[in-house]
Amino acid sequence: MPLSSPIDSFSTSAYLRAKSVWRGKIQRKRPRRAGDDPLSRPFGSGRDPRSLSLVLESVVVDMGWSSELEQARIMEEWPTFVGIATAEHTTVTGIRDGVLEIQCDSTTWATELRRLRAEMLTRLLTEYPDSDIRDLRFKAPGAPSWRHGPRVVPGRGPRDTYG
């Protein structure tokens, strides 16, 4: 069985969330009698169409997508958040379990950003409060990693290919 991609799991969870919100019941309107609700009269107050942004905001809140959208916003706005000079030497590799992972070009950049970690995290939490990010991890370049994914098989690995 092939492994599912993050997009497949996201779409599956979005479908299941929409299904649980909808609950499979078709809402039928009952005929209203005159004088039932003064706000539901034609051309009455509260009947104006809402803007698309308000509708999308309510959908995001109802479906529980606010943290994922904030995390995507952080990844997109990383160069403006840290500045152009720092962004040239860093790349956001992902967000895993509330930890924003940043790959640095050199160990010098990783060490310097680790020193500024508390300040950056405080600023991140104030500018992106719904992101659910609790920590920052700065990775320095190193030897190639054979670990791909969250599960690891114990053992020596492919070390015999170097000899």
Side-chain angles (χ1 to χ4, degrees):
M1 183 163 133
L3 296 174
S4 63
S5 68
I7 295 172
D8 292 339
S9 64
F10 175 75
S11 60
T12 302
S13 64
Y15 169 73
L16 292 175
R17 174 73 178 136
K19 185 178 173 185
S20 70
V21 169
W22 181 53
R23 295 186 185 148
K25 296 179 184 175
I26 298 174
Q27 300 290 331
R28 300 195 190 270
K29 292 185 178 181
R30 63 176 177 85
R32 294 196 180 265
R33 288 177 259 141
D36 272 357
D37 189 7
L39 294 178
S40 68
R41 289 190 313 244
F43 306 107
S45 63
R47 298 283 301 202
D48 293 331
R50 296 188 302 167
S51 67
L52 183 60
S53 64
L54 290 175
V55 172
L56 288 176
E57 283 178 20
S58 66
V59 168
V60 165
V61 170
D62 289 345
M63 299 299 276
W65 294 340
S66 58
S67 65
E68 288 88 358
L69 289 175
E70 280 289 303
Q71 291 174 0
R73 212 174 112 215
I74 290 170
M75 294 173 93
E76 182 68 27
E77 296 174 0
W78 180 252
T80 57
F81 179 75
V82 295
I84 301 296
T86 306
E88 289 176 354
H89 299 282
T90 60
T91 308
V92 177
T93 57
I95 300 170
R96 199 177 297 176
D97 298 326
V99 178
L100 180 65
E101 297 177 349
I102 298 111
Q103 180 70 48
C104 300
D105 284 353
S106 65
T107 55
T108 307
W109 276 100
T111 305
E112 182 65 23
L113 292 175
R114 283 185 195 118
R115 191 181 64 78
L116 298 171
R117 186 181 139 272
E119 180 183 329
M120 290 178 71
L121 186 60
T122 303
R123 190 170 147 227
L124 188 83
L125 293 174
T126 57
E127 290 186 23
Y128 304 97
D130 294 335
S131 64
D132 294 337
I133 291 180
R134 299 180 314 269
D135 199 9
L136 299 172
R137 181 174 298 144
F138 298 102
K139 297 189 278 185
S145 172
W146 299 104
R147 180 179 173 154
H148 300 288
R151 295 179 184 85
V152 178
V153 176
R156 287 181 35 91
R159 286 173 181 77
D160 60 17
T161 60
Y162 292 118

